[in-house]
Amino acid sequence: MAIESPADWNNDRIVAETFVRDVEVHESLPSTNDHALQLATDDAIATPRLIIAEKQTKGRGRGANIWWSSAGSLTFSLLLNVDPQRLPTSRWPEMSLTVGTSICSAVAQLLPGEDVRLKWPNDVFLRGRKLSGVLVEIPPRTSGRIVIGIGINVNNSIQNAPEELRETAIALCDANAEVSRQDVLISSLQEFDRQLGLLIDQPDAVRRLWRKFDLLTGRSVTISDGLTDATGTCTGIDDDGALLLRNEVGTRRCYGGVVQMSG
Ligand code: BTN
């Protein structure tokens, strides 16, 4: 599929078909998350707001990760206000996971029969390689606002990626999927809207999705929070979104960190 140009974004369609109220499309930004974090401090900015960048010059990932992207990739951030009556901040780790399962569901619908998985907390894997990453951030000095940054490799073949990614990452076009970034974006946003509603009203339905897509249960993993590492066997995802890690010390509940698989 040809790489779509910025002019191909149809903002009216995005607003009509999703919960997003305003859309910004930028030719280039350092990072859509940085831009959204800046906007978040301005109360006059209406939400939900979607920020799309054709190119990021300083795309950030979780921990010390950077996010590689090139023409044909989908990089965007959502600035949301979350009603604490409906979803208290104590449940935001569950929302973070649910962003990941929303992308899993959208990709699974676009590519029926493919092996799509959630690597806790919210990486999306296709055919055992990383397809998408999510960076959730809470803007300082705001209340109820959250920034959800998402990168999805769509029409940016990993053949053109830096060498260290060529064995571990994948794009939808590498799996022979002929999809537009706009369709992937709209499907992912629609799924997120649906699953966020379920998380509030029927949380067990979303917990089943976390477990349906879960990649880590039964595997040996190491989880790092930037200060310490813990190694053990992943025994599941608990109802509150915690990753359960069992080793000789006992079972540890993990709410954040970067996971590496070793078996
Ligand atoms: C990760 O895999 O560690 C998370 C990657 C998140 C990348 C997205 S791309 C859009 C948004 N802007 C950023 O700078 N990062 C996120």
Side-chain angles (χ1 to χ4, degrees), residues 41-55:
T41 57
D42 181 351
D43 291 336
I45 295 283
T47 61
R49 191 176 189 89
L50 174 68
I51 299 115
I52 301 171
E54 280 299 321
K55 179 178 168 193

Side-chain angles (χ1 to χ4, degrees), residues 31-33 56 59-62 65 67 76 130 133-134 149-151:
S31 148
T32 55
N33 263 41
Q56 291 190 124
R60 296 187 288 109
R62 297 171 58 245
N65 292 348
W67 182 256
F76 64 97
K130 183 159 167 172
V134 178
I150 301 178

Side-chain angles (χ1 to χ4, degrees), residues 24 26 29-40 49 51:
E24 293 179 17
H26 295 261
L29 281 175
S31 148
T32 55
N33 263 41
D34 289 347
H35 184 75
L37 288 169
Q38 266 173 7
L39 294 178
R49 191 176 189 89
I51 299 115

Side-chain angles (χ1 to χ4, degrees), residues 130-152:
K130 183 159 167 172
L131 175 77
S132 168
V134 178
L135 179 63
V136 177
E137 296 185 296
I138 300 167
R141 296 179 300 283
T142 61
S143 166
R145 287 196 156 181
I146 188 163
V147 170
I148 300 174
I150 301 178
I152 308 178

Side-chain angles (χ1 to χ4, degrees), residues 155-175:
N155 288 318
N156 53 318
S157 174
I158 297 302
Q159 286 167 12
N160 306 317
E163 198 176 347
E164 65 274 15
L165 294 180
R166 281 184 224 146
E167 296 293 309
T168 57
I170 192 167
L172 291 175
C173 65
D174 296 323

